[in-house]
Amino acid sequence: MTTTTDHLPGQAGAAPQAAALQHVARLSLWRGGLLAAVTWLALGTLVLQWPNKEVGFSDWAYTDEFGVAALTVAAVLALLSVGGPWTARVVFLLRPAAQWLIALPLLLGVWEILTAKLGVLPTPFFAPPQALIEVYGEDWPRLGLSTAHSLRLLAHGFASGATVGFVVGVWIGWSRIAGYWVHPVLRFLGPVPASALLPLAFFFAPSSYAAAVFLIALASFFPIAVLTWSGVAAVSKSYYDVARTLGASERFLVLRVAIPAALPQVFVGLFMGLGAAFSVLVTAEMMGVKAGLGWYLQWAQGWAAYSNMYAALFVMAILCSGLITLLFKVRDHALSWQKGTVKW
């Protein structure tokens, strides 16, 4: 008598990963890691051994710390590269990023040479990498508070715009009456830039924060509403016919047929809405709010503190990239049952 054991979906996906991990463990040397270690070593040597060009009566702070950090990264990568089975799991995670680990110190080296070493890019408009380290090390309370305020404002505005846009999109896609009356208005007013409605937001909103939330919500509302409407309207009529044959109600058709089938389009709208919300965030935070990355950028430009401005821009880029990655994870989880019909 033979018995068969069904493989769970997680087990099927874990088998190739385990095989790849064992393959990495058998390798005695990670050549990409060694090459990355050499480039980071060259960067650290360049920073520490090449004297900086004097800026006025002072030198760039945190130059030694920057060089030591580069040498530390080089040492860690070298140990991982020759660690064999002991570092196989970490190498397995870092291997896809090997080319970036090589390119990053090269880019930082060019940046360092053009600013701190040769002064080709003039100050104060351009600053070397260690100037950003100085901002993060000394001005982190103000920058951290601004990041927290921006996250709160972005969450309120994007959540409001996404909720209203999703509801309106489902309504337009499902109801012929809404499609007749609301859809033309949406197509007429939707392309208007949210920042162009700044005076109206100031006039009608009870506070500057409410006006900022309104602008971000408006920027994210249009792509989410349009793509949700498109997804609901594109659902095959045969799905509804089968559900009606089985006795489904109108509520069931909307919640269990139309919306799940339209989710791929909805997530495309969410990605576009998040990008639009970030593009309006800086403008929204220049309307009298007392903290935020937009306010921080305006303050840095007013004082000609361009190092602080670049540091805030890097924080915004990391924040946007992190939120998009999180949204990808949510999409993958929500649409896991559609992997056979959705492009990944």
Side-chain angles (χ1 to χ4, degrees):
M1 180 177 179
T2 60
T3 60
T4 59
T5 303
D6 293 332
H7 292 284
L8 297 176
Q11 293 175 340
Q17 182 177 356
L21 186 60
Q22 292 176 0
H23 175 70
V24 172
R26 288 194 296 267
L27 298 177
S28 59
L29 188 65
W30 179 28
R31 296 180 179 178
L34 277 180
L35 183 57
V38 171
T39 55
W40 282 99
L41 176 63
L43 174 63
T45 304
L46 179 147
V47 172
L48 294 176
Q49 298 301 321
W50 190 343
N52 293 336
K53 183 177 181 180
E54 292 188 3
V55 182
F57 298 99
S58 62
D59 195 3
W60 293 109
Y62 288 86
T63 298
D64 293 340
E65 289 82 354
F66 178 42
V68 171
L71 295 179
T72 303
V73 174
V76 171
L77 289 174
L79 291 176
L80 291 175
S81 302
V82 300
W86 293 278
T87 60
R89 187 171 298 275
V90 179
V91 171
F92 176 76
L93 296 176
L94 292 179
R95 185 175 291 271
Q99 295 180 352
W100 276 107
L101 291 174
I102 298 171
L104 184 59
L106 296 177
L107 294 175
L108 290 175
V110 173
W111 183 6
E112 177 76 10
I113 291 174
L114 294 178
T115 52
K117 304 307 180 184
L118 296 179
V120 175
L121 300 177
T123 58
F125 303 103
F126 298 94
Q130 55 263 40
L132 273 64
I133 299 176
E134 182 179 5
V135 173
Y136 294 134
E138 298 183 359
D139 202 31
W140 66 265
R142 178 162 36 192
L143 188 57
L145 181 63
S146 297
T147 304
H149 277 263
S150 291
L151 275 174
R152 185 185 67 169
L153 177 60
L154 187 69
H156 289 166
F158 181 70
S160 302
T163 302
V164 177
F166 175 76
V167 173
V168 171
V170 173
W171 185 34
I172 296 174
W174 181 258
S175 172
R176 291 184 179 179
I177 297 176
Y180 180 80
W181 290 104
V182 181
H183 182 224
V185 177
L186 185 65
R187 294 183 63 178
F188 180 74
L189 296 178
V192 176
S195 56
L197 301 178
L198 187 62
L200 293 178
F202 262 125
F203 181 78
F204 289 105
S207 64
S208 59
Y209 183 81
V213 170
F214 169 75
L215 287 181
I216 295 176
L218 185 63
S220 57
F221 162 81
F222 177 66
I224 296 172
V226 170
L227 285 165
T228 302
W229 158 73
S230 176
V232 173
V235 176
S236 176
K237 302 300 180 184
S238 60
Y239 294 167
Y240 299 132
D241 295 338
V242 172
R244 288 192 181 99
T245 303
L246 297 175
S249 62
E250 291 292 311
R251 177 185 178 89
F252 184 92
L253 292 176
V254 174
L255 298 179
R256 304 300 296 273
V257 179
I259 292 178
L263 279 181
Q265 290 286 85
V266 172
F267 274 101
V268 174
L270 289 174
F271 284 117
M272 296 181 64
L274 184 59
F278 260 98
S279 65
V280 180
L281 178 64
V282 175
T283 303
E285 287 185 331
M286 292 180 178
M287 300 193 317
V289 297
K290 297 182 179 179
L293 291 174
W295 170 88
Y296 190 90
L297 287 173
Q298 189 179 31
W299 168 83
Q301 291 175 3
W303 286 95
Y306 294 102
S307 300
N308 298 68
M309 184 186 71
Y310 295 139
L313 289 175
F314 271 108
V315 171
M316 289 189 68
I318 295 172
L319 187 62
C320 182
S321 177
L323 290 177
I324 290 177
T325 302
L326 179 61
L327 191 55
F328 266 113
K329 296 293 184 182
V330 174
R331 187 206 66 169
D332 293 346
H333 178 75
L335 301 182
S336 59
W337 58 278
Q338 287 190 343
K339 284 187 177 179
T341 58
V342 178
K343 282 188 176 182
W344 296 86

